[in-house]
């Protein structure tokens, strides 16, 4: 099988790679780029542990042929902490027990991130709907939902802080 | 589970895609969202030499509503966009209802309308790993000679498990198929063959490019009921789509009922015709719901029993009709 | 050991897990995330037959395939192993026979996954197919073609216990009820598939294995035995583990296969299971058929219980002997039952081996018992809560089968659930289609007797205090997502009066950490927690003694608080921990301390055959109320609300305890409603997460937790079990709620809509035949 030279943009960084066209993005991220935060949990694309953001939208890297995603901005869990600072969702998953074994956590956080970007004040039902493609086996989801709620609170505080600072300036 | 070896070609135009398909003939397979194909590749169900990746063919990604032509949906429209389309929500509620139930949010972000309509048929004896199928001695649909759900059967009973097809059938949708020979447009129901192995009338070198819903179907009340164990992720174990147009006095002017996941093809329920010209009547609804079971021939292709899936077809037809009709202006 | 704690004490604090940041950033490494230079991919060849003799095998074509670096078969690895000393019936690869579809036949290490998979297809195995047994009740009749030659009638083990006299007990009963319950197999479905990376260093003959294991020390022992190496040459490191629930609590074939391949190939080998292979490796909760007979007086006082339990264990023993014993032994220690008889059969079948799963052994028996108790209450017209209150234990006590119960928060659990759930206002009073149900459960806080009998402590901890006052815990205990590391950091910080940030933990690396038996039977908080406290006290004593000596003050006049050593009773001394540590280090230059825990002799149970399983230093208790809506036309159940009270002794970290309790309840709900490993002729039809349906967010109800703190006299700060005990009660509470909603009892799991509809039809037919019978009887 001929390898292809491809360009991938992951976490705002450009990579040039030579890969076989049958390689899945999940494997390329994990094996070639060392970005192991995206997990493989199933083989039938049911669990969502491999969730990455493709142009901001949560998708499953276990279904994606890497050669077909050269024009996209891919974000993995490693790409969301800003300058070493946890972002509110990450902070909240720590503080509210949203991560037990942690295996579903990267996918959960990325999916939740897309939700909050488009719907900053979701109802519990909307949170449930949004996360319904990411399976967790530890938490029964209760503390995951609480974590998302807490993140919303933190984001609101951040915003009102920014607003206050803006007014002050 | 490594994928088989293949090349990926990434045409940018429909013309280019058709050329690739023609060039590679039966060695080629199409891929768009990958949600159906990639897990099957992992299981060794297909071994294409070339994958024609349609994602770059942007001309197939559109939603157009025209006061004369009706609604046109490009085959590359993702299920998420379909479910979120205001036009679909306002004029074609049955389609929105069905789109919202497809798989999970993640899969809806990837899966396309074209892919959902051309979904491979599914069966517990088919959607298994190469190891599993080999240990059983394979099945009629793939590499074997016996249908394990209906031994002795000469047709494959794997079920069509798409959600959007029955909804579109109730709206009298047509699909456009492009090939190097030109384009043809056929009613969606004629896309399907009630044999899980044959599946589609689409020829290998044809690409399903668009779906068209006639303007006459706009504004029909409608709903979709889906039987599944989880309220996300799962394929349907049975699905019922109902669309109806009634007059201001509540008389049913036209109605269509379609079933999915209970046959190798999505099927329209003929008994729906009995409702035409009638006012809402619970016993008539019961009668049609009962008759709908005749259209459903589920075998043991998935979790849940045949009896229960048939029972649920009846319940869903009744509930769907009640939902779209009983709350009409007459009452 | 209950200690008074100040407000800032880490005990009772809702603090994040110590490894939470690694998990939310993706920085944490699980076994499959690890790589080594020159690493090869290992793949295992599985049997396509349920029962067959291996006539011959030809691996030459696979060996010749370019890129293949090693092929191993059973002939090279004939040493038998098993988690239990009485159950050594597995070999790394089958030697003479395969015993289930998926059994391990050979393995390949190659330069890529594709090459390894190709090589497997080149291995030719000539099988002589044998008749196979799939149903345990049929398997028990077998005379020929036995699964293991030394197990007549395919019975792995049977036990017959009789405490008191059930004949007399039943004679005293006013009402006797007999039912048969059928609980099919379910499995862990931890989100992380098993993965093992092994490296063998031929120069010094050492083997290093990184594995997704709950039991690194058992793995080390088994690696040494099966690879015929000295145990001191084997090092096992447990990276982050993506959930266990028992599925990683015994040695799993890939762990040994990876090591054998690495040694033979002379290069590191990683094997990661496909999800299908996770199902084939199994070790899930066995199908269990429970025939239960219970006698009560008119007032609802239990007089006798008799259980006949058949467990479908699959093809190997695994934990099976323990599973069947728990099923009988833990009929006790919940209620005061004067006469108990138990006949238990662990039966072999040609299916993947079952094993330990959350609530090991107790769940299906508890479902049966609680369901039967609810049915009895309904027949006698007693409130289901009241019948439980009339049969409570009166601790401290020792049960008929020698289980010692000291702390017993069950009565309080019952009271609090009754109050919070609105039980009195709801039970029997909700409209048709709505219902509420009630049940209880319990579990051990670790097994009092280790798997391999030994007088040595079950948990040991080393602790070092560096010259800057930083404390490092070295523990063998295995964090698998349940908070094992965090709880040890919390108890050590509390004991030393330190902020949590000043305590680090190094865990589960057999070359660096002292032995701990592992994460199973909910033993870690109790045992490793107590060992950590002992180590911290040892360090504290050394520091206080050194300070007292150096400053000529009395040791009693010193205390540790806020990261300092302070004087009290008028002594004005104030030293940093670093200063105290340097003093205590003395001429040795380093301060190390150690602690251990072993169960007290009085907690270890009786002497009868099988008495070793069941005893625990402490038992957790749980009571639950589940509210449902049942659609009588579709049979669909919606769980609206669950209220659970769990007696965890003391919640060292309430957030994590709640997480464990909710997770248990939710997993019980899965077993109750939809989960089942679906077999057809020994072949799993749903070996994936698409078809083995663990619930998504959308079916998962709100769970309200109440933590009851009974302060166990021997638990660390009073703590005991939290991660398993609440699972079992969910199932009977749910079926009870369905009864309350629509008037039918379901005795076969899972409670599918089909089963509910069928029961409703049968009920209707019965009512037509005999009109006038009440709906609720």
């Amino acid at each position: 099988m001929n390898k292809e030279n491809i360009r991938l943009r992951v976490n705002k960084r450009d990579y040039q790679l030579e890969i076989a066209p049958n390689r899945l993005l999940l494997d390329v991220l994990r094996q070639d780029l060392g970005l192991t935060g995206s997990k493989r949990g199933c083989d039938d694309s049911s669990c969502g542990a491999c969730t990455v953001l493709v142009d901001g939208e949560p998708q499953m890297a276990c279904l994606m042929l890497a050669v077909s995603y050269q024009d996209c901005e891919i974000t993995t869990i490693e790409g969301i902490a800003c300058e070493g600072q946890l972002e509110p969702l990450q902070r909240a998953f720590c503080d509210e027990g949203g991560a037990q074994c942690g295996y579903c956590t990267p996918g959960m956080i990325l999916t939740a991130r897309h939700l909050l970007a488009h719907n900053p004040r979701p109802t519990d039902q909307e949170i449930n709907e949004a996360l319904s493609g990411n399976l967790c086996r530890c938490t029964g989801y209760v503390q995951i939902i609480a974590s998302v709620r807490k993140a919303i609170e933190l984001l609101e505080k951040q915003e009102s802080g920014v607003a206050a600072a803006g007014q002050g300036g | 589970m490594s994928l088989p070896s293949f090349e990926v070609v990434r045409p940018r135009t429909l013309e280019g895609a058709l050329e690739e398909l023609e060039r590679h003939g039966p060695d080629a397979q199409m891929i768009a969202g990958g949600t159906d194909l990639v897990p099957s590749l992992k299981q060794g169900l297909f071994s294409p030499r070339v994958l024609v990746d349609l994602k770059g063919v942007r001309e197939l990604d559109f939603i157009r509503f025209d006061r004369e032509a009706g609604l046109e949906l490009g085959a590359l429209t993702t299920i998420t966009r379909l479910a979120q389309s205001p036009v679909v929500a306002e004029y074609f509620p049955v389609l929105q209802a069905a789109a919202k139930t497809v798989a999970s949010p993640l899969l809806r972000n990837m899966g396309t309308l074209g892919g959902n309509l051309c979904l491979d048929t599914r069966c517990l004896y088919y959607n298994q790993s190469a190891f599993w199928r080999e240990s059983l001695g394979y099945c009629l649909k793939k590499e074997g000679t016996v249908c394990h759900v209906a031994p002795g059967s000469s047709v494959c009973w794997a079920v069509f498990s798409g959600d959007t097809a029955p909804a579109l059938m109730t709206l009298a949708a047509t699909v456009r198929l492009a090939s190097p020979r030109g384009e043809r447009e056929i009613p969606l129901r004629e896309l399907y063959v009630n044999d899980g192995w044959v599946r589609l009338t689409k020829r290998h070198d044809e690409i399903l490019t668009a779906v068209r819903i006639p303007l006459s179907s706009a504004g029909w009340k409608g709903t979709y009921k889906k039987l599944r164990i989880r309220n996300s992720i799962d394929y349907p174990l049975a699905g019922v789509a109902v669309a109806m147009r009634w007059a201001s006095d509540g008389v049913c002017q036209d109605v269509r009922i379609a079933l999915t996941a209970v046959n190798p093809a999505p099927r329209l329920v003929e008994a729906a015709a009995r409702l035409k010209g009638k006012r809402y009547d619970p016993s008539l609804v019961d009668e049609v719901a009962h008759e709908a079971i005749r259209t459903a021939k589920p075998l043991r292709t998935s979790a849940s029993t045949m009896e229960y899936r048939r029972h649920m077809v009846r319940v869903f037809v009744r509930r769907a009709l009640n939902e779209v009709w009983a709350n009409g202006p007459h009452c | 050991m209950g200690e008074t704690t100040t407000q800032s004490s880490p005990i009772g604090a809702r603090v994040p897990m110590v490894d939470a940041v690694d998990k939310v950033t993706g920085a944490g490494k699980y076994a499959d995330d690890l790589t080594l230079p020159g690493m090869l991919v290992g793949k295992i060849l599985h049997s396509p037959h349920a029962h067959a003799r291996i006539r011959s095998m030809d691996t030459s074509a696979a060996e010749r395939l370019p890129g293949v670096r090693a092929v191993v078969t059973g002939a090279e690895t004939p040493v038998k192993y098993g988690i239990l000393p009485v159950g050594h019936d597995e070999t790394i690869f089958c030697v003479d026979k395969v015993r289930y579809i998926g059994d391990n036949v050979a393995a390949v290490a190659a330069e890529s996954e594709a090459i390894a998979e190709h090589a497997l297809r080149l291995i030719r195995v000539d099988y002589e197919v044998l008749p196979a047994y799939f149903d345990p009740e049929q398997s028990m009749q077998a005379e020929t073609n036995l699964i293991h030659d030394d197990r007549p009638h395919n019975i792995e083990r049977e036990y017959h216990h009789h405490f008191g006299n059930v004949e007399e007990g039943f004679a005293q009963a006013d009402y006797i009820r007999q039912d048969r319950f059928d609980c099919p197999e379910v499995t862990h479905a931890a989100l992380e598939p098993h993965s093992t990376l092994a490296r063998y260093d031929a120069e010094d003959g050492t083997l290093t294995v990184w594995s997704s294991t709950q039991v690194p020390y058992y793995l080390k022992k088994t690696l040494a035995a099966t690879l015929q190496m000295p145990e001191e040459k084997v090092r096992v490191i447990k990276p982050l583990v993506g959930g266990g629930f028992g599925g990683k609590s015994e040695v799993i074939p890939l762990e040994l296969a990876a090591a054998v391949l690495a040694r033979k190939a002379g290069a590191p080998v990683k094997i990661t299971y496909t999800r299908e292979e996770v199902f084939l490796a199994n070790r899930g909760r066995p199908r269990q058929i429970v025939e239960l007979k219970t006698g009560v007086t008119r007032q609802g006082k239990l007089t006798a219980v008799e259980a006949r339990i058949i467990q479908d264990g699959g093809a190997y023993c695994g934990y099976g002997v323990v599973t069947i014993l728990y099923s009988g032994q833990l009929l006790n220690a919940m209620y005061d039952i004067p006469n108990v008889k138990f006949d238990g059969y662990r039966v072999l079948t040609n299916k993947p081996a079952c094993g330990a799963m959350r609530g090991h052994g107790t769940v299906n028996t508890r479902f049966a018992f609680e369901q039967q108790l609810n049915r009895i209450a309904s027949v006698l017209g007693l409130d289901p809560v009241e019948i439980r209150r009339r049969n409570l234990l009166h601790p401290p006590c020792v049960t008929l089968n020698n289980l010692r119960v000291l702390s017993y928060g069950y009565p309080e659990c019952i009271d609090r659930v009754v109050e919070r759930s609105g039980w009195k206002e709801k039970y029997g009073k909700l409209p048709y289609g709505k219902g509420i149900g009630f049940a209880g459960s319990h579990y051990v806080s670790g097994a009092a007797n280790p798997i391999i009998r030994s007088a040595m402590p079950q948990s040991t901890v080393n602790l070092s205090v560096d010259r800057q006052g930083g404390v490092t815990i070295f523990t063998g205990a295995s964090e698998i997502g349940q908070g094992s590391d965090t709880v040890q950091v919390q108890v050590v910080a509390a004991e030393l009066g330190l902020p949590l940030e000043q305590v680090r933990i190094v865990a589960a690396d057999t070359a660096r950490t002292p032995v701990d038996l592992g994460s199973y039977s909910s033993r870690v908080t109790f045992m490793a927690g107590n060992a950590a406290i002992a180590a911290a006290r040892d360090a504290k004593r050394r520091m206080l003694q050194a300070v007292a000596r150096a400053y000529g003050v009395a040791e009693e006049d010193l205390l540790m608080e806020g990261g300092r050593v302070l004087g009290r009773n008028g002594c004005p001394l104030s030293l940093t921990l670093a200063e105290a540590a340097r003093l205590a280090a003395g001429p040795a230059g380093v301060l190390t301390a150690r602690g251990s825990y072993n169960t007290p002799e009085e907690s270890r149970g009786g002497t009868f055959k099988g008495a070793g399983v069941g005893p625990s230093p402490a038992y957790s208790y749980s009571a639950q109320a589940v509210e449902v809506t049942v659609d009588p036309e579709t049979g669909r159940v919606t769980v609206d609300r669950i209220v659970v009270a769990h007696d965890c002794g003391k919640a060292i970290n309430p957030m994590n305890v709640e997480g464990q309790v909710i997770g248990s309840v939710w997993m019980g709900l899965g077993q109750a409603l939809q989960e089942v490993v679906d077999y057809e002729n020994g072949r799993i039809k749903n070996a994936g997460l698409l078809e083995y349906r663990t619930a998504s967010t959308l079916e998962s109800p709100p769970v309200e937790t109440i933590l009851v703190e009974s302060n166990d006299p021997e638990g660390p700060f009073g703590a005991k079990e939290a991660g398993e005990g609440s699972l079992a009660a969910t199932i009977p509470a749910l079926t009870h709620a369905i009864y309350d909603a629509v008037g039918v009892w379901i005795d076969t799991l899972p409670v599918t809509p089909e089963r509910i509809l069928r029961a409703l039809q049968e009920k209707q037919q019965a009512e037509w035949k005999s009109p006038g019978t009440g709906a609720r009887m």
Side-chain angles (χ1 to χ4, degrees), chain B residues 1-2 122 124-125 128-129 131-132 135-136 228-231 234 303-305 308 311-312 318-319, chain C residues 46-48 113 117 276 631 633-634 636 680 683-685 689-690 693-694 698-699 753-754 757:
Chain B
M1 280 185 172
S2 61
R122 299 186 62 82
L124 273 179
Y125 297 89
Q128 297 285 359
S129 70
F131 161 75
W132 196 98
S135 90
L136 182 67
R228 51 183 162 177
I229 293 170
R230 285 182 290 214
N231 291 320
D234 292 358
S304 194
T305 60
Y308 184 68
H311 169 77
M312 288 305 292
R318 179 155 43 72
R319 287 186 176 184
Chain C
H46 299 285
S47 163
E113 188 180 26
E117 285 170 346
E276 181 181 34
D631 181 335
E633 195 178 38
T634 65
R636 182 108 183 161
E680 186 174 278
R683 195 173 282 107
I684 303 176
K685 287 164 80 179
L689 299 181
L690 187 60
R693 294 174 172 88
T694 63
L698 295 175
E699 306 78 58
E754 290 99 311
L757 284 189

Side-chain angles (χ1 to χ4, degrees), chain A:
Chain A
M1 183 171 26
N2 293 329
K3 290 191 173 181
E4 271 192 61
N5 277 309
I6 69 160
R7 188 178 56 82
L8 277 183
R9 188 163 166 78
V10 183
N11 300 334
K12 300 192 173 131
R13 188 174 151 183
D14 289 310
Y15 295 88
Q16 297 286 338
L17 299 161
E18 195 184 314
I19 63 161
N22 70 347
R23 299 282 308 284
L24 295 169
L25 179 67
L26 177 63
D27 295 331
V28 173
L29 291 172
R30 291 175 53 77
Q31 294 163 9
D32 300 38
L33 306 186
L35 296 170
T36 56
S38 309
K39 305 297 184 196
R40 184 182 70 85
C42 66
D43 302 306
D44 52 16
S45 303
S46 54
C47 80
C50 64
T51 302
V52 298
L53 299 179
V54 178
D55 297 328
E57 190 178 67
Q59 301 195 4
M60 293 161 95
C62 73
L63 288 172
M64 295 156 65
L65 297 172
V67 295
S68 293
Y69 288 81
Q70 299 187 55
D71 303 328
C72 306
E73 185 80 45
I74 291 157
T75 308
T76 70
I77 189 69
E78 290 92 342
I80 71 165
C82 181
E83 290 163 9
Q85 283 281 308
L86 296 185
E87 75 160 36
L89 266 165
Q90 293 174 309
R91 182 77 263 154
F93 269 72
C94 291
D95 291 349
E96 296 295 320
Q100 283 186 27
C101 86
Y103 208 76
C104 73
T105 310
M108 278 295 173
I109 289 179
L110 290 170
T111 303
R113 196 169 190 257
H114 172 258
L115 168 72
L116 299 189
H118 291 82
N119 181 1
R121 283 169 193 78
T123 62
D124 279 354
Q125 182 57 26
E126 285 169 335
I127 298 172
N128 276 315
E129 293 272 357
L131 298 181
S132 68
N134 293 81
L135 293 176
C136 167
R137 189 58 165 164
C138 296
T139 61
Y141 304 105
V142 173
Q143 291 182 333
I144 287 177
I145 307 301
S147 300
V148 176
R149 283 250 149 273
K150 178 69 178 286
I152 294 166
E153 238 175 72
L154 293 175
L155 282 163
E156 280 174 355
K157 260 187 216 153
Q158 223 175 45
E159 254 168 51
S160 61
V162 169
Q167 279 160 9

Side-chain angles (χ1 to χ4, degrees), chain B residues 7-18:
Chain B
E7 265 181 71
V8 179
V9 293
R10 298 186 291 277
R12 296 277 156 180
T13 61
L14 175 60
E15 201 186 344
L18 290 169

Side-chain angles (χ1 to χ4, degrees), chain B residues 292-313:
Chain B
I293 296 179
R294 290 175 192 276
T295 313
K297 295 249 181 325
L299 296 179
R300 281 201 50 82
T301 54
S302 62
S304 194
T305 60
M306 304 180 274
E307 296 77 16
Y308 184 68
R309 286 158 72 199
R310 283 158 58 90
H311 169 77
M312 288 305 292
V313 164

